[in-house]
Amino acid sequence: MTNIQIKERKVVELHPHPKNDSIYGDEDIEQLAQDIKRSKWVKPLIVTPEGTIISGHRRWKAVSSLGWETVPVEEKEFTDEIAELEALLLENANREKSIEQKCREGLTWEAIEQANSRQRMGTKGSGVGSTRDVVAKRVGIGSGINYEKACKVVSVIDEALLVGNLAKAEALRKKLNHKSVNAAFKMISSIENISETQHTQMQWILAKLGQKLCGSVWIASNDRSRIWEKEKLGSLSMDSLPQLGIRNDAQKTVALIDVVWLSGDNQITAAFEIECTTSIYSGLLRMADLVALVPNLNFPLYVVVPQSRVEKVKKELDRPSFKALKMN
């Protein structure tokens, strides 16, 4: 039988595992703190010799709030960061969790399995990696399909938080954790349909403005069947993009841009990428390709986004690749 050694360590010497908050969030510890204050006892934390907490984050926060100077701990050594992370999940296996937390655990188990698979590569009899069905069952989200939907919801929550849309993130989180995965997934579909409608509306507005201000408009071919105000976008666009006197690869890049304004002599006046639903990075990358292919562009490039995504655009433009092209 293993002899477990419990020792006292200073509370200020300990620190959370870097992945804990991203999986379990900032949880309420008020009731736990009251219980500890009343009992004057706390279950020992599991920590590494360096002071990283593996199990007991809520207990650590509670005793910190109570002003305790020391806390009982059991020190454990781990072979590497993956082993630490695996222990973090296993120590939390039996706790009560929200669907979001279960999903984030699943995503972490996937990352662990991928890392372990790389380590096993070339090893005789290493077996196969974990499937999403296995992960879903492991974290208690049911089927792999249900888990996929939950992951999609969590991804949209994270993007909403990134751009500061707290209301959207909270609405999705409430639906996911207090209703069901399917209810939250349907909510995403509804949001995305609204965003696609915004995209079509904006293309129509820009096309109408372009016709009045410049004369001709080009709309990306994959959007021309969309309808706004009973008009097909294709009816507002030139049938084919004229030769612009630039390289073929640059010409193809221009053809993919959402809306392009052209003057009477078929010179580009302005180009617009509308990013309501897709990754902002993809639109900026298309613009970056064009800037790289045609360094001496003599027309402006615009990225059109809802107000909620402006900060996200600014963060993306801080990437070194965009700065090098002076797009920032």
Side-chain angles (χ1 to χ4, degrees):
M1 186 175 178
T2 305
N3 185 22
I4 298 175
Q5 297 291 327
I6 304 298
K7 63 165 68 173
E8 291 284 325
R9 285 193 62 166
K10 290 183 179 179
V11 172
V12 295
E13 290 179 350
L14 307 178
H15 52 270
H17 190 283
K19 292 289 186 180
N20 187 76
D21 278 356
S22 64
I23 298 172
Y24 300 109
D26 186 16
E27 299 178 282
D28 182 27
I29 50 92
E30 185 176 348
Q31 184 59 53
L32 177 61
Q34 290 177 7
D35 292 343
I36 292 173
K37 183 178 181 180
R38 184 170 54 253
S39 67
K40 297 182 175 58
W41 176 86
V42 64
K43 180 182 176 182
L45 284 61
I46 296 177
V47 303
T48 67
E50 296 75 28
T52 300
I53 301 168
I54 302 299
S55 174
H57 289 82
R58 293 178 68 248
R59 281 169 273 154
W60 174 72
K61 288 179 181 179
V63 297
S64 296
S65 71
L66 294 171
W68 285 25
E69 291 187 3
T70 64
V71 65
V73 302
E74 176 191 349
E75 287 187 359
K76 284 188 178 181
E77 292 195 39
F78 299 90
T79 54
D80 53 30
E81 292 180 4
I82 295 298
E84 280 187 12
L85 190 54
E86 193 167 354
L88 173 72
L89 295 175
L90 290 172
E91 289 292 339
N92 283 283
N94 296 320
R95 61 174 285 184
E96 186 176 340
K97 286 166 278 195
S98 67
I99 296 176
E100 180 185 357
Q101 289 171 331
K102 291 177 181 179
C103 183
R104 293 189 188 280
E105 279 191 338
L107 292 169
T108 308
W109 276 119
E110 286 189 62
I112 290 171
E113 178 57 31
Q114 288 171 5
N116 287 337
S117 294
R118 286 194 296 270
Q119 291 174 1
R120 293 195 303 259
M121 198 172 292
T123 303
K124 187 176 180 180
S126 60
V128 295
S130 175
T131 65
R132 287 208 154 183
D133 280 319
V134 173
V135 171
K137 184 177 180 181
R138 182 169 204 165
V139 298
I141 298 187
S143 69
I145 293 174
N146 208 43
Y147 173 63
E148 290 274 5
K149 288 180 179 179
C151 287
K152 171 66 174 175
V153 175
V154 168
S155 174
V156 175
I157 288 173
D158 286 343
E159 178 160 341
L161 290 172
L162 189 62
V163 299
N165 194 341
L166 302 184
K168 177 181 176 181
E170 191 54 37
L172 281 169
R173 183 171 277 151
K174 186 176 180 180
K175 190 77 76 172
L176 178 66
N177 293 328
H178 301 291
K179 271 284 191 180
S180 67
V181 172
N182 279 332
F185 190 73
K186 286 178 181 177
M187 187 176 180
I188 285 179
S189 299
S190 175
I191 291 170
E192 288 181 344
N193 286 338
I194 292 170
S195 296
E196 285 179 10
T197 300
Q198 290 175 336
H199 190 283
T200 301
Q201 179 189 21
M202 188 52 60
Q203 278 182 297
W204 182 85
I205 290 171
L206 288 170
K208 287 290 191 180
L209 281 172
Q211 286 180 331
K212 288 186 177 182
L213 295 174
C214 303
S216 299
V217 171
W218 167 262
I219 294 176
S221 57
N222 59 315
D223 294 329
R224 291 186 193 176
S225 61
R226 294 181 177 183
I227 297 173
W228 188 261
E229 293 292 337
K230 298 181 180 180
E231 280 187 293
K232 272 193 175 182
L233 293 184
S235 67
L236 305 175
S237 174
M238 306 172 77
D239 292 332
S240 60
L241 187 66
Q243 287 299 318
L244 303 171
I246 56 181
R247 292 168 43 176
N248 285 339
D249 43 6
Q251 177 95 10
K252 290 177 181 178
T253 299
V254 172
L256 295 172
I257 293 174
D258 287 326
V259 180
V260 180
W261 290 357
L262 298 102
S263 61
D265 54 354
N266 289 332
Q267 293 297 308
I268 295 180
T269 305
F272 303 84
E273 274 289 304
I274 304 162
E275 301 296 349
C276 294
T277 56
T278 55
S279 166
I280 288 169
Y281 182 68
S282 64
L284 292 179
L285 194 58
R286 186 174 298 131
M287 295 295 198
D289 287 344
L290 186 58
V291 171
L293 292 167
V294 190
N296 299 316
L297 282 179
N298 57 1
F299 58 87
L301 304 174
Y302 295 97
V303 178
V304 184
V305 295
Q307 184 66 38
S308 62
R309 302 189 98 189
V310 170
E311 290 305 315
K312 172 69 172 170
V313 174
K314 290 179 180 178
K315 287 180 181 178
E316 292 288 0
L317 285 172
D318 271 338
R319 290 174 182 261
S321 55
F322 294 141
K323 283 185 175 181
L325 293 169
K326 299 183 178 178
M327 290 176 64
N328 58 314

